[in-house]
Amino acid sequence: MLWAVFAYVCLRGIAGAFAGDLRRADELAERVPYYSDSKVLVEWALGDIGAGGVALLLAAYPLRFVVASAARVCGAGGFTFERVSVWSDLIGQCADVVRSSGSRDHRLSSVSLRLPVMRVRGARIARGTVPAFSRRNRLLRAHAAQVVEALRGAHAGLDRDPDKAARDLGRLALTISERYALGRLGALLDEGDLEPPRRMSDALRLSVAAVLVAVIAIVSARHGVPEPAAIAASVVVVAMLYRSATAGGVAGVGLAVAEILLNAFFPGG
C-alpha cells in the first residue's frame, strides 16, 4: 500500500513539474493517427482505475479491522481461525515432501508461503485481542516480520536439504498455529527460531532518496518554492529513509547521503 501511494505521489509530482513539456509533446502527438482515442483510454485507466485503486488500497487497512470486528460480533469464529487452516495446509505440504519417494519436483513446487505469510502479518487484526490503535500493534508488527523471515529462511532450505527444511518449516507452522490459537500473538515463535527482518537495501534506499530529492528540487524550481523549504523537505525525506540505517543512522550514513544529494540538486544551498 505504501509503495502504491509513493509511486502515485512521485508520478503526480513529475507530471506537475513537466506539465509544460507534456503539453507541447501532446500537441505534436495529435498528428499521429488514433492518438486521441488512445489518449482517452489511457486517461480513463490512469484517472478512474488508478484513483480507485489508490483509494481501495488506502481503505483496505481500516476495512480489515471492520470486517474482523463484524465477524466476531456475528459469532463467525471461523473467520478468526481461518488462517489456522492455511498453516495446516502448509504442514501437510511439508509432510508430503518428507513422505515422498523418488522424484519430489511436484511436492517441492507445491510448498508455497504466499498465504501463510499473509496470515502471519494479519494475525494481530483477525485474532481480535488487540485494539485497533493500541501501541502494542507496533511491537506485534515487528514480531510478525521476524516470524515471516524465519518461515522464508526455512523455505529457502528446501533447495539444499529438502527433508530437514520440510521438517523445520512444518514445525514452525505448527508452533505458529498453536500460539495463535492461544492468543500469544507476540510469541508466535520462540526467540531461537526468529530471524531479523530484511531491511531496505542500501542501493534501493539511495535510489529512492535520489528520486525524491530530485522531484522536490524540480517541483520547487517550477512552482517558486523557497529553497530553504525545499532543502528542509529533502533533509526530512533522507532522514526518514535512513532512520534505521545501521552505520550511525541519520547522523552517519543518512547525513553523508543528504550532503551529497543537496550539493547535487541545490548547488547554492
Side-chain angles (χ1 to χ4, degrees):
M1 182 180 68
L2 292 177
W3 277 111
V5 175
F6 166 73
Y8 177 77
V9 172
C10 287
L11 289 175
R12 288 298 300 268
I14 294 173
F18 293 98
D21 299 328
L22 292 175
R23 279 194 297 271
R24 287 191 292 272
D26 187 57
E27 293 172 357
L28 294 174
E30 287 287 353
R31 305 171 187 173
V32 178
Y34 304 108
Y35 172 77
S36 298
D37 297 333
S38 302
K39 178 183 175 183
V40 171
L41 180 62
V42 171
E43 287 178 346
W44 170 75
L46 294 179
D48 296 340
I49 297 181
V54 171
L56 181 62
L57 287 171
L58 290 175
Y61 188 74
L63 184 62
R64 292 168 65 188
F65 282 104
V66 173
V67 172
S69 301
R72 286 190 294 272
V73 169
C74 297
F79 177 85
T80 301
F81 293 98
E82 174 271 341
R83 58 202 58 234
V84 176
S85 67
V86 174
W87 296 322
S88 299
D89 290 341
L90 177 60
I91 297 172
Q93 294 167 4
C94 294
D96 290 339
V97 171
V98 175
R99 289 195 303 260
S100 62
S101 59
S103 177
R104 292 179 170 178
D105 295 349
H106 174 68
R107 300 296 187 187
L108 291 173
S109 63
S110 66
V111 180
S112 172
L113 289 186
R114 184 175 62 86
L115 286 179
V117 163
M118 292 174 59
R119 296 304 185 262
V120 168
R121 294 192 184 279
R124 61 191 174 83
I125 297 175
R127 191 61 177 82
T129 58
V130 183
F133 301 103
S134 172
R135 292 184 177 180
R136 291 153 54 195
N137 279 295
R138 180 177 60 84
L139 298 176
L140 293 180
R141 279 197 300 269
H143 177 70
Q146 292 179 305
V147 173
V148 167
E149 287 306 312
L151 290 173
R152 288 174 174 168
H155 185 261
L158 291 173
D159 299 318
R160 298 188 298 270
D161 189 345
D163 279 339
K164 182 179 183 303
R167 285 187 170 89
D168 289 342
L169 189 58
R171 177 180 60 82
L172 295 178
L174 178 60
T175 303
I176 293 171
S177 302
E178 292 176 342
R179 303 284 176 82
Y180 176 81
L182 294 173
R184 300 177 60 186
L185 301 179
L188 294 177
L189 289 178
D190 295 328
E191 289 293 332
D193 292 324
L194 295 176
E195 296 288 342
R198 289 181 298 178
R199 300 294 183 184
M200 185 187 298
S201 66
D202 291 336
L204 180 58
R205 186 185 286 112
L206 179 59
S207 301
V208 173
V211 169
L212 288 177
V213 174
V215 170
I216 292 174
I218 294 172
V219 172
S220 61
R222 293 296 181 97
H223 296 279
V225 177
E227 189 170 282
I231 292 176
S234 302
V235 172
V236 170
V237 166
V238 176
M240 292 179 63
L241 287 172
Y242 281 87
R243 69 185 184 277
S244 60
T246 56
V250 176
V253 177
L255 186 59
V257 172
E259 183 178 0
I260 294 172
L261 294 178
L262 292 178
N263 290 334
F265 293 104
F266 301 98

